[in-house]
Amino acid sequence: MDFIYANYPFGSFDIRPYNFTTVDQTFSIRRVNLIRILETYPNRTFVLLADTSNNDVMRVYPEMATLFPGRIQCILLRNTSATDPQMKFPYDTSGFRNLDNSTYMFFRTSDDLRGINFSNGGCRNPDVPQNVTFSYQEVPSLSDINTILGNSAHIRFAVPTAIATIIAFASLLLFI
């Protein structure tokens, strides 16, 4: 706790583990916690921070901005696919379609956050390009998959072959 008190602003730590009994409850923990925090502190605004490798964040954060209008000042998402070759995960930005684009920002490095005036309601750095398609983004190509898995000839051959085998098997099941 000494580290926390020395390095973080005073406030509450409201994310605690729960004992959920169903898989659905386990996967909705972020949503449950955010709703609880937003309901507990009705006069506060929040900045939500995560990265694009968390699929539930891409759905839950825009949902919170919709469910609690004016309470989510900013959603900041680090695009891991842009900076970490081993983290090329496709992510779905369709949840952001109906949000004001001044309330969220995708960034690459912490330097992209410099100059944002959060205390005055800011959320964007105009020098950081935004390329939100409101659909799946960063879907890796086969060469990306081969790079992630390794560069051996065996793996480069095995991935496309495995995908072709799965497609052929699925097609076969349709005719049975």
Side-chain angles (χ1 to χ4, degrees):
M1 291 303 286
D2 290 337
F3 175 80
I4 290 172
Y5 291 129
N7 294 288
Y8 290 95
F10 288 109
S12 57
F13 285 87
D14 294 303
I15 305 297
R16 294 185 184 98
Y18 289 98
N19 291 325
F20 290 116
T21 57
T22 68
V23 172
D24 186 48
Q25 289 173 324
T26 302
F27 286 121
S28 66
I29 189 168
R30 189 179 321 265
R31 184 179 188 280
V32 168
N33 280 321
L34 284 170
I35 288 173
R36 186 169 53 82
I37 292 167
L38 287 159
E39 288 175 346
T40 301
Y41 302 103
N43 299 319
R44 291 186 185 175
T45 57
F46 295 87
V47 173
L48 304 179
L49 175 70
D51 64 53
T52 57
S53 68
N54 293 306
N55 192 34
D56 65 324
V57 163
M58 301 303 293
R59 184 182 66 260
V60 172
Y61 280 14
E63 179 187 7
M64 294 300 104
T66 302
L67 288 175
F68 297 91
R71 301 284 311 288
I72 306 300
Q73 173 184 325
C74 187
I75 300 171
L76 299 171
L77 295 156
R78 185 174 75 87
N79 183 351
T80 56
S81 296
T83 57
D84 307 338
Q86 72 280 12
M87 298 287 283
K88 280 199 175 282
F89 294 108
Y91 55 93
D92 184 7
T93 57
S94 62
F96 293 85
R97 180 181 312 276
N98 296 320
L99 295 184
D100 178 347
N101 68 2
S102 70
T103 63
Y104 61 86
M105 185 176 91
F106 290 82
F107 67 98
R108 290 182 217 92
T109 68
S110 58
D111 287 340
D112 292 343
L113 304 178
R114 290 177 193 250
I116 299 175
N117 190 343
F118 293 105
S119 60
N120 280 344
C123 181
R124 298 287 294 269
N125 177 343
D127 296 330
V128 177
Q130 300 294 296
N131 184 24
V132 181
T133 63
F134 306 115
S135 63
Y136 273 94
Q137 296 187 212
E138 300 295 338
V139 178
S141 66
L142 285 177
S143 63
D144 290 335
I145 293 170
N146 286 326
T147 300
I148 293 166
L149 295 176
N151 289 320
S152 73
H154 169 72
I155 292 175
R156 278 195 300 263
F157 175 76
V159 170
T161 302
I163 291 170
T165 303
I166 291 168
I167 292 170
F169 181 70
S171 299
L172 178 65
L173 289 177
L174 292 173
F175 294 108
I176 293 180

